[in-house]
């Protein structure tokens, strides 16, 4: 017996617990059976923790009792028990673990829960609040627990799940572990049933690695699926294990079963989910693989077996070659562990590569769902080559924004003299296609990759090269490299070449334009790249594409407009007419108005027009004037 005393008495639940209980008790009636999954999973965690303590060599109370989970019931008394011989809890642990919600993100969870009650059963376990689901079926719950630490007294916890709980010392002698006694609600008596309980365990807890008894019968499979030879495992079993592991209601997009024997032994069962976890606000903390050593769970969601950007992969890794008593803190420095982890990463890469080659549709599904994560791997230089091969982009050769091409496919289609791979970032395919910078690419028939996701900019500037080809933003392309390439379309010739005299006037006009815009631009010059637009803005050599520059500015909260070069299309009707006006009167106000308008429209396209007031005003004036002309020519 222990000489420590427990702090008996009545305790209030923390506010967020009350809130959660309120939702659980009053509004969740579908799929209530998951309370059992949650309690069994806690029992299994408790047994895992115990096993971990004993591998560390800790002193364990009641060392000889079997590691197991037992479910029993008494229909007449409306009672149900879930008992485990796991690590147990001290009174302090019970106060901290059951009376409060430790995890961050509880507020998010509560919000999700109140918005979408159907999803609640799927996400409840993931937020570390599984225990409370018992109050969906219980009027009253009694927990009796005895810690594995011999000198800690047993503790009893009782609550009706309304607002408070009571702690006391149990009268009877308790052995190590935890028993949850449930007083079933009137409308939950269905759970006091042998057949029903067995079914629930089989459905939700079949892969728990400790034996689960309902009455006297062992119900679960207990074998470690990842240790079985691949040939003996059916797709349904893989899917079932996946659902067990992730609580996902859909089967995975892909599974990967790996057994490696040399130089280091490990088995892994890895999955790519159909849906990204992002949408549940479950991204960062939730990633990681479960690490087992000799079938003993060492760590849930280990973050070092895979790089973070492959965090969409779920699953487990089990090795014979790591020491059982390895501590989580020293794992990272362990040479065997780092070999396993780089091997796991390569396995994921080869699986993705194979998928990209043999199952293009599945790969595209993967890309649409998980590329947001995956693309963050642009800084992983160790896997650079493999990473680059998997990148996909929308392209000018696609019919719509859904199409995806690889860099390899791009280079295979490339013109023989082309030395660079071109890309353009924009908010949408439509916006990109309106961009004047693209005109020369269209007339030369050069493929351009379309980037919609801001992270693509970082990907492109970090990757910088594919094979021998530089990745170049279209607004940074050196026109000399493009001019060499043959055109696919004859440049339409609407106007005669300018006479020498007119060329001189044009130079003066450009100088006038520069005067009007002043320091807002660096230079005005004749463009070689334009066809249907009168003008565009070009970045002076900064080594950064316009959109990259934009992202950097946003990050630095810098709202200044960069000093661009204004390029003018001298074979455009507007420019030719300006020249006429200019020749007649070089100080005509009209020129100033048009220049302002051209400049601001171009700024708008580049995403730099912060104040549209002047532009809108000017357009309205022009419309008003042109309406006179329209009425005139139509004799209205
Ligand atoms: P989670 O399991 O995600 O942590 P739960 O609400 O299911 O969230 O459980 C809260 C905590 O209560 C657990 O982390 C654990 O510390 C403790 N606990 C619950 N059930 C048991 C048990 N059977 N044995 C020991 N500790 C338990
Ligand atoms: Mg739990």
């Amino acid at each position: 017996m222990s000489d420590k005393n427990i702090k008996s008495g009545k305790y209030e639940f923390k506010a967020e617990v009350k809130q959660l209980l309120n939702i659980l008790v009053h509004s969740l009636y579908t799929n209530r059976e998951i309370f059992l999954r949650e309690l069994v999973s806690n029992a299994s965690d408790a047994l895992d923790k115990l096993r971990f303590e004993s591998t560390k060599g800790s002193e364990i109370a009641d060392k000889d009792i079997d590691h197991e989970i037992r479910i029993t019931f008494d229909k007449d008394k409306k009672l149900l028990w879930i008992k485990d011989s796991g690590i147990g809890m001290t009174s302090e642990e019970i106060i901290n673990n059951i009376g409060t919600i430790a995890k961050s993100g509880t507020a998010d969870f509560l919000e999700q829960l109140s918005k979408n009650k159907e999803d609640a059963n799927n996400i409840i376990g993931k937020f570390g609040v599984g225990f409370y689901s018992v109050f969906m079926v219980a009027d009253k719950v009694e927990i009796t627990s005895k810690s594995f630490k011999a000198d800690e007294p047993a503790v009893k916890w009782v609550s009706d799940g309304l607002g408070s709980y009571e702690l006391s010392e149990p009268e009877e002698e308790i052995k190590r572990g935890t028993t949850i006694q449930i007083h079933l609600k009137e409308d939950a008596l269905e759970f006091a049933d042998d057949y029903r309980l067995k079914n629930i365990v089989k459905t939700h807890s079949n892969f728990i690695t400790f034996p689960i008894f309902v009455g006297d019968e062992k119900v679960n499979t207990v074998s470690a699926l990842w240790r079985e030879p691949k040939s003996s495992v059916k797709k349904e079993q893989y899917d079932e294990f996946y659902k067990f592991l992730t609580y996902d209601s859909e089967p995975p997009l892909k599974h990967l079963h790996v057994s490696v024997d040399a130089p280091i032994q490990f088995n892994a069962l890895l999955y790519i989910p159909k849906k990204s976890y992002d949408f549940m606000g479950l991204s960062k903390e939730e990633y990681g693989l479960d690490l087992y050593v000799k079938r003993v769970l060492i760590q849930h969601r280990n973050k070092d077996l895979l790089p973070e950007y492959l965090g969409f992969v779920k699953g487990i890794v089990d090795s014979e070659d790591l020491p059982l008593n390895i501590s989580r803190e020293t794992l990272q420095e362990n040479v065997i562990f780092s070999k396993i982890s780089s091997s796991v990463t390569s396995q994921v890469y080869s699986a993705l590569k194979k998928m990209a080659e043999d199952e293009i549709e599945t790969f595209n599904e993967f890309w649409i769902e998980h590329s947001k994560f995956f693309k963050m791997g642009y800084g992983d230089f160790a896997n650079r080559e493999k990473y680059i091969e998997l990148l996909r982009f929308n392209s000018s050769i696609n019919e719509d924004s859904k199409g995806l091409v690889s860099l390899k496919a791009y280079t295979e289609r490339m013109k023989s003299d082309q030395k660079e791979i071109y890309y353009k970032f924009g908010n949408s395919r439509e916006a990109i296609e309106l961009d004047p910078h693209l005109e020369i690419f269209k007339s030369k028939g050069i493929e351009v990759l379309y980037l919609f996701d801001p992270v693509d900019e970082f990907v492109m500037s970090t990757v910088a090269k594919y094979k021998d080809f530089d990745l170049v933003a279209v607004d940074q392309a050196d026109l000399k490299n493009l001019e060499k390439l043959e055109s696919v379309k004859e440049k339409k010739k609407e106007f005669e070449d300018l006479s020498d005299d007119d060329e001189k006037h044009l130079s003066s006009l450009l100088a006038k334009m520069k005067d009007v815009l002043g320091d807002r631009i660096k230079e005005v010059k004749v463009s070689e790249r334009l066809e249907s637009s009168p003008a565009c803005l070009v970045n002076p050599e900064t080594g950064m594409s316009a959109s990259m520059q934009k992202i950097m500015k946003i990050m630095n909260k810098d709202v200044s407009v960069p000093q661009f070069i204004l390029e003018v299309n001298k074979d455009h009707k507007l420019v030719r007419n300006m020249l006429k006006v200019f020749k007649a009167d070089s100080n005509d106000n009209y020129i100033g108005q048009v220049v302002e308008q051209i400049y601001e429209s171009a700024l708008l396209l580049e995403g730099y027009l912060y104040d549209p007031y002047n532009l809108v005003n000017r357009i309205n004036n022009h419309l008003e004037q042109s309406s006179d002309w329209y009425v005139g020519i139509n004799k209205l």
Side-chain angles (χ1 to χ4, degrees), residues 456-483:
D456 290 342
E457 281 282 354
F458 292 95
V459 172
M460 288 312 211
S461 57
T462 315
V463 169
K465 233 175 171 27
Y466 173 70
K467 305 224 164 114
D468 291 333
F469 310 108
D470 286 332
L471 304 173
V472 178
V474 295
D475 53 316
Q476 281 189 299
D478 186 344
L479 291 183
K480 283 192 240 72
N481 292 336
L482 297 177
E483 274 156 13

Side-chain angles (χ1 to χ4, degrees), residues 42-43 45-46 49 84 87-89 97-98 125 128-132 178:
N42 286 349
D45 288 349
K49 287 177 195 162
D84 68 69
I87 195 165
M89 284 178 277
N97 299 339
I98 307 270
V129 293
F131 170 77
Y132 302 102
T178 303

Side-chain angles (χ1 to χ4, degrees), residues 227 260-267 291-295 317-326 331 334-340:
R227 293 288 187 118
V260 174
D261 284 321
I264 286 163
Q265 191 286 334
F266 73 91
N267 293 70
L291 175 67
Y292 287 75
V293 173
K294 304 181 174 71
R295 296 177 201 228
V317 173
D318 184 1
S319 174
E320 288 287 321
D321 291 345
L322 283 168
L324 256 175
N325 59 359
I326 192 161
L331 262 179
N334 185 292
V335 182
I336 297 174
F337 177 80
S338 51
K339 287 195 174 143
I340 294 175

